[in-house]
Amino acid sequence: MFRNFKMVSNVIFGRGCFTQLDDILKKQRHHSKSWVVFVVDDVFQGKILERRLPFHAKDMLLWVNVKDEPKTSYVDELTLKVHHFARTLPSAIVGIGGGSTMDLAKALSLMLTNPGFSHDYQGWDLIKNPSVYHIAVPTLSGTGAEVSRTTVLTGPEKKLGINSDHTVFDQVVLDPELIRDVPPIQRFYTGMDCYIHCIESLQGTYINEFSRSYGEKALTLCREVFLNHGAKQECKNIAADGDSSGETGDLSERDGRVADTDRIFSNEDDKLMMASFFGGMSIAYSQVGACHALSYGLSYILGTHHGIGCCIAFDALEEFYPEGVKEFREMMRIHKIELPRDVTKGMSKENMDKMILVALGLEPLWENCLGKGWKKIMTKKKMKSLFKMM
Amino acid sequence: MFRNFKMVSNVIFGRGCFTQLDDILKKQRHHSKSWVVFVVDDVFQGKILERRLPFHAKDMLLWVNVKDEPKTSYVDELTLKVHHFARTLPSAIVGIGGGSTMDLAKALSLMLTNPGFSHDYQGWDLIKNPSVYHIAVPTLSGTGAEVSRTTVLTGPEKKLGINSDHTVFDQVVLDPELIRDVPPIQRFYTGMDCYIHCIESLQGTYINEFSRSYGEKALTLCREVFLNHGAKQECKNIAADGDSSGETGDLSERDGRVADTDRIFSNEDDKLMMASFFGGMSIAYSQVGACHALSYGLSYILGTHHGIGCCIAFDALEEFYPEGVKEFREMMRIHKIELPRDVTKGMSKENMDKMILVALGLEPLWENCLGKGWKKIMTKKKMKSLFKMM
């Protein structure tokens, strides 16, 4: 049996296409009482993006805090808030932010139409009812959350996604201008999430040509972005010299067409956004591997954010991904990244054991990485030694 | 304004996944009277594929002949046949074949729910009502018809697609085993359709990073398939030596996962199928160019099939696509392809004029190829000299 992969229904890509969000939502506002929930990362409070939201009188603005990775309890709290806001269901949920915000928007759209608590649905295909129509507007690229069929949540017992076809976004708005001002360190860690899951997927045992085609191209794009230090700045300089309207996306024309001059802006932001999209698509018939499994352990016990957690874990996995780790270290060197060290130092035995349990629980990831006999290779002792290296 | 690109809702990819078609259709058979129309290329009459169709008692089997390219009159004839077959609408249309058959299935699914004649809808976004749910099962790869939002038809006045979001398939079944036995010449010409539209799209003025990512990977895959003569045979030999169950797709396992040994089968058929899919996706924010425009002229007047028409036209376009044409000729050399020559020799003035008119009418293709000033470059005289070279 092959998975029948559910794709995002509509994708819009282009510099400045965020301005078309109002038109897109218009089609969901079927009557005068229709309303929309904007789920927005609270780092944008008071920023330009807040003023650009296509907010209508009856809409709800839900600022979310993603300093910690999304918890099931937080999803339940948000769901309750939306239920209290109005007596009808919203016509659309719009998630604007990085992977965590997009995951919250997905989870909210599912929990508004499915009874009980979100932790009841952590797992595979447990969702019964279709979700509320939901849109992703990534402001950070790398996680692939914009195309994946999961929403990763930390529950009372585990960090595990709500995996279902209903989780998939109905619409994705890919505007590379929105990721322009991401702080370089965050950009690096989130980009590495994409780089690492491509390495894991391409080197895994589950891969087929569908996932390989997406994964290889995502990897190429990551290399163009992260091994090519300085290119972004050069592009910006050309833009500034050439045409001042360039950076506001005014060059766009009808029907997805872009003017000749727009070519100079086809820079790293565009590539990184496509890398994230392709990286997410490559998981369709594949799986992540050892690094993601270990990073889930780190996140669960230490609350480490996903991107940085992946980097910390990957740096300890030279034995399993020798070429990938070598290239990753070169990227760190170019971008002057100093990884946190000794993050598991002084950890209690209980926490270490729990961390190992969480990581070992992700069986498909280990099988993808090491094949069917993975349990003989990835023993508790072996895993402990890996965690000790981090 | 950027195009809001409608994607195929579901994709299943894998060797042998055709056997899952019955399960997929089950979800559309909502009640005991539900029925399905199988639109199948008549080259499969009496072949194994006919016996493998998941045909239920109330279903309709519609053999279609695509020796000539699809005409609007043929679509209208098929639509009438389906209306006469039962008093209700079918629950699904399944198109099984190459680009022409898939286009007929798309057009049929649209015309069952939209009044009038199919030639009324040749153009952009003229379709008003949602189509019948429709599935593509390609048995030939290269056209990208499995993901495009058009169905190319020859009408009384023009060769032009019915372009609409409703045209897009709801489901695509990508089983590389189904293209294994395509005759080499047909495989080449159809594959070149993909290669050529990637060259046209990547070298065009409309391109953006979304289309570039898809187009570049499609091009890479085409090169792996067509510049690598002999690889397919090698793979088949390994398969025959290794595990006899290999070629029947029995190696597939649960959930899209494939066994380690399946890797050796990740051969040219898989790559070609993905090249076609990616090539089709690359058109999202791009357009084909001079070659497709000229080939439409050839098809309209001479009835030349699309793939071979593209090859004949491309070979005359060294001036516009120097590197692409050079590589294309190398592919022809490797695959021992002899192009038909002098196809426009002795053509009447009327036909030549009409052919030029049809080709010049495809304005977006010329603008993509030559920029806004294209009319100054591609004069009637210039075009005539190009047609004379073919």
Side-chain angles (χ1 to χ4, degrees):
Chain A
M1 284 283 287
F2 296 93
R3 178 183 296 155
N4 192 0
F5 182 61
K6 174 84 172 68
M7 306 229 284
V8 164
S9 305
N10 275 80
V11 179
I12 183 164
F13 180 97
R15 300 190 149 257
C17 74
F18 180 71
T19 55
Q20 289 173 244
L21 180 58
D22 197 30
D23 278 343
I24 291 167
L25 285 169
K26 213 168 272 172
K27 289 186 184 149
Q28 303 304 320
R29 298 183 191 270
H30 298 296
H31 48 78
S32 62
K33 288 186 179 164
S34 296
W35 59 290
V36 169
V37 184
F38 292 89
V39 180
V40 190
D41 187 333
D42 64 9
V43 298
F44 292 111
Q45 263 180 322
K47 299 282 164 60
I48 294 171
L49 190 69
E50 181 177 357
R51 294 200 298 278
R52 292 183 69 200
L53 292 178
F55 197 83
H56 290 215
K58 291 196 169 59
D59 293 348
M60 180 183 191
L61 177 51
L62 205 55
W63 292 111
V64 291
N65 187 295
V66 291
K67 282 208 181 101
D68 294 328
E69 297 224 297
K71 291 193 171 56
T72 53
S73 55
Y74 193 35
V75 170
D76 297 336
E77 188 190 316
L78 295 174
T79 308
L80 214 60
K81 271 192 189 171
V82 175
H83 275 312
H84 284 170
F85 186 81
R87 296 178 64 178
T88 57
L89 280 179
S91 304
I93 307 286
V94 185
I96 305 178
S100 294
T101 307
M102 288 188 272
D103 276 358
L104 284 172
K106 287 186 198 180
L108 177 60
S109 74
L110 291 166
M111 293 314 299
L112 284 171
T113 53
N114 286 277
F117 298 101
S118 52
H119 66 77
D120 298 335
Y121 298 98
Q122 283 182 288
W124 282 270
D125 301 306
L126 302 170
I127 290 285
K128 294 286 171 269
N129 303 321
S131 61
V132 172
Y133 173 95
H134 51 306
I135 302 184
V137 184
T139 61
L140 191 60
S141 284
T143 64
E146 61 275 30
V147 289
S148 76
R149 75 189 292 276
T150 193
T151 159
V152 185
L153 301 173
T154 304
E157 286 163 27
K158 56 201 166 195
K159 181 177 172 186
L160 182 61
I162 301 180
N163 299 270
S164 94
D165 279 357
H166 301 300
T167 309
V168 178
F169 282 108
D170 297 288
Q171 170 81 55
V172 177
V173 176
L174 298 176
D175 182 348
E177 289 185 355
L178 298 182
I179 66 166
R180 195 179 48 193
D181 301 323
V182 174
I185 291 181
Q186 196 174 8
R187 175 187 174 87
F188 183 84
Y189 285 134
T190 315
M192 285 305 105
D193 183 10
C194 179
Y195 176 80
I196 293 166
H197 73 231
C198 288
I199 297 285
E200 289 177 299
S201 144
L202 289 168
Q203 224 180 286
T205 60
Y206 290 3
I207 195 83
N208 71 1
E209 193 56 46
F210 185 96
S211 286
R212 185 182 291 118
S213 299
Y214 275 108
E216 285 178 349
K217 186 64 192 176
L219 202 57
T220 304
L221 288 164
C222 283
R223 285 175 180 145
E224 286 173 17
V225 172
F226 291 107
L227 288 176
N228 184 26
H229 190 47
K232 185 173 180 181
Q233 201 45 51
E234 274 170 40
C235 275
K236 284 199 173 172
N237 293 344
I238 294 169
D241 292 348
D243 183 335
S244 62
S245 74
E247 298 216 337
T248 61
D250 290 334
L251 291 173
S252 61
E253 290 180 17
R254 70 170 169 85
D255 227 21
R257 166 183 324 181
V258 288
D260 277 20
T261 41
D262 196 56
R263 290 182 182 193
I264 54 170
F265 303 109
S266 181
N267 69 8
E268 297 189 358
D269 293 334
D270 302 62
K271 287 184 187 204
L272 190 54
M273 205 156 232
M274 285 312 298
S276 180
F277 184 86
F278 272 45
M281 293 291 289
S282 86
I283 301 301
Y285 288 99
S286 174
Q287 204 21 298
V288 285
C291 178
H292 271 70
L294 295 175
S295 84
Y296 273 35
L298 291 178
S299 293
Y300 192 84
I301 298 299
L302 299 171
T304 318
H305 270 225
H306 184 65
I308 192 166
C310 281
C311 287
I312 293 169
F314 198 55
D315 197 55
L317 289 169
E318 201 170 2
E319 179 184 348
F320 300 96
Y321 305 108
E323 288 167 27
V325 172
K326 193 177 158 198
E327 193 168 57
F328 160 72
R329 287 180 185 155
E330 173 63 10
M331 289 171 177
M332 283 208 293
R333 193 192 61 74
I334 290 172
H335 294 271
K336 301 182 178 66
I337 300 294
E338 291 280 346
L339 272 188
R341 299 284 173 194
D342 301 324
V343 296
T344 62
K345 201 173 178 179
M347 185 182 279
S348 71
K349 189 181 174 304
E350 287 76 13
N351 275 347
M352 178 58 86
D353 287 348
K354 180 71 191 166
M355 190 158 71
I356 291 170
L357 212 64
V358 168
L360 279 179
L362 296 150
E363 302 205 351
L365 281 63
W366 291 110
E367 190 179 306
N368 180 44
C369 177
L370 301 169
K372 287 195 187 301
W374 68 269
K375 285 183 183 170
K376 284 181 201 142
I377 305 164
M378 193 45 61
T379 59
K380 285 186 183 178
K381 193 176 160 197
K382 175 71 190 169
M383 189 177 285
K384 192 171 179 179
S385 75
L386 290 171
F387 275 130
K388 289 274 184 195
M389 285 166 67
M390 296 179 196
Chain B
M1 284 281 287
F2 295 93
R3 179 184 294 152
N4 192 0
F5 183 61
K6 173 86 173 67
M7 305 231 285
V8 164
S9 307
N10 276 81
V11 178
I12 183 165
F13 180 97
R15 300 190 148 258
C17 74
F18 180 72
T19 55
Q20 289 172 245
L21 180 57
D22 197 29
D23 278 343
I24 291 167
L25 285 169
K26 213 168 273 170
K27 289 185 185 151
Q28 302 304 319
R29 298 183 192 270
H30 298 295
H31 49 79
S32 63
K33 287 185 180 165
S34 296
W35 59 290
V36 169
V37 184
F38 293 89
V39 179
V40 191
D41 186 333
D42 65 8
V43 298
F44 292 111
Q45 265 181 320
K47 299 282 164 59
I48 294 171
L49 190 69
E50 181 177 355
R51 295 199 299 276
R52 292 184 68 200
L53 292 177
F55 197 84
H56 289 213
K58 290 196 171 57
D59 293 347
M60 180 184 191
L61 177 50
L62 204 56
W63 293 110
V64 290
N65 186 295
V66 291
K67 282 207 180 102
D68 294 327
E69 297 223 297
K71 290 191 171 58
T72 52
S73 55
Y74 193 36
V75 170
D76 296 336
E77 188 190 316
L78 295 174
T79 307
L80 213 61
K81 269 192 190 172
V82 174
H83 275 312
H84 283 169
F85 186 81
R87 296 177 64 177
T88 57
L89 280 178
S91 304
I93 306 285
V94 186
I96 305 178
S100 295
T101 307
M102 287 189 272
D103 276 358
L104 284 171
K106 287 187 197 178
L108 177 61
S109 74
L110 291 166
M111 293 313 300
L112 284 170
T113 54
N114 286 276
F117 298 101
S118 51
H119 66 77
D120 299 334
Y121 298 98
Q122 283 181 287
W124 282 269
D125 301 307
L126 302 171
I127 289 285
K128 295 284 171 270
N129 303 320
S131 62
V132 172
Y133 173 95
H134 51 304
I135 302 183
V137 185
T139 61
L140 190 59
S141 285
T143 66
E146 61 275 29
V147 288
S148 76
R149 74 188 292 275
T150 193
T151 158
V152 185
L153 301 174
T154 304
E157 286 162 26
K158 55 203 166 195
K159 182 178 171 185
L160 182 62
I162 301 180
N163 298 270
S164 95
D165 279 358
H166 301 299
T167 309
V168 178
F169 282 108
D170 298 288
Q171 169 83 54
V172 177
V173 176
L174 298 176
D175 182 348
E177 290 186 354
L178 298 182
I179 66 165
R180 193 178 50 191
D181 300 323
V182 174
I185 290 182
Q186 196 174 8
R187 175 189 174 87
F188 183 84
Y189 285 133
T190 315
M192 284 305 105
D193 182 9
C194 179
Y195 176 80
I196 292 167
H197 74 231
C198 288
I199 296 285
E200 290 177 299
S201 143
L202 289 168
Q203 224 179 286
T205 60
Y206 291 2
I207 194 83
N208 70 1
E209 193 55 46
F210 185 96
S211 285
R212 187 181 289 116
S213 299
Y214 275 108
E216 285 178 348
K217 187 64 191 177
L219 202 57
T220 304
L221 289 164
C222 283
R223 285 175 179 144
E224 286 173 18
V225 172
F226 291 107
L227 288 175
N228 184 27
H229 189 48
K232 186 174 183 184
Q233 200 47 51
E234 275 171 39
C235 276
K236 284 199 172 172
N237 292 346
I238 295 169
D241 290 350
D243 183 337
S244 62
S245 74
E247 299 215 337
T248 61
D250 291 333
L251 290 173
S252 62
E253 289 181 19
R254 72 170 168 83
D255 226 23
R257 166 183 325 182
V258 287
D260 277 19
T261 41
D262 196 56
R263 290 183 182 192
I264 54 171
F265 303 109
S266 181
N267 68 8
E268 298 190 356
D269 293 334
D270 302 62
K271 289 185 185 198
L272 190 53
M273 204 156 234
M274 286 312 297
S276 179
F277 185 85
F278 272 44
M281 293 291 290
S282 85
I283 301 301
Y285 288 99
S286 173
Q287 203 22 295
V288 284
C291 178
H292 271 70
L294 296 176
S295 85
Y296 272 36
L298 291 178
S299 293
Y300 191 82
I301 298 298
L302 300 170
T304 318
H305 271 224
H306 183 65
I308 192 168
C310 282
C311 288
I312 293 169
F314 198 56
D315 197 53
L317 289 169
E318 201 169 0
E319 180 185 346
F320 300 95
Y321 305 108
E323 287 168 27
V325 172
K326 194 178 159 198
E327 192 167 59
F328 161 72
R329 287 179 184 155
E330 173 63 10
M331 290 171 176
M332 283 209 292
R333 196 192 58 76
I334 291 171
H335 293 271
K336 302 183 179 65
I337 300 294
E338 291 281 344
L339 272 189
R341 298 286 172 190
D342 302 325
V343 296
T344 62
K345 200 174 178 179
M347 183 182 279
S348 71
K349 188 180 174 303
E350 285 76 16
N351 275 347
M352 178 59 84
D353 288 346
K354 180 74 190 165
M355 191 158 71
I356 290 171
L357 211 67
V358 168
L360 279 179
L362 296 151
E363 301 205 351
L365 282 62
W366 291 110
E367 190 179 304
N368 180 43
C369 178
L370 301 169
K372 286 197 189 299
W374 68 270
K375 284 182 185 171
K376 284 181 201 144
I377 305 164
M378 193 45 61
T379 59
K380 284 186 183 179
K381 193 178 160 195
K382 176 70 188 170
M383 190 177 285
K384 192 170 176 178
S385 77
L386 290 171
F387 275 131
K388 290 276 186 191
M389 285 166 68
M390 296 177 195

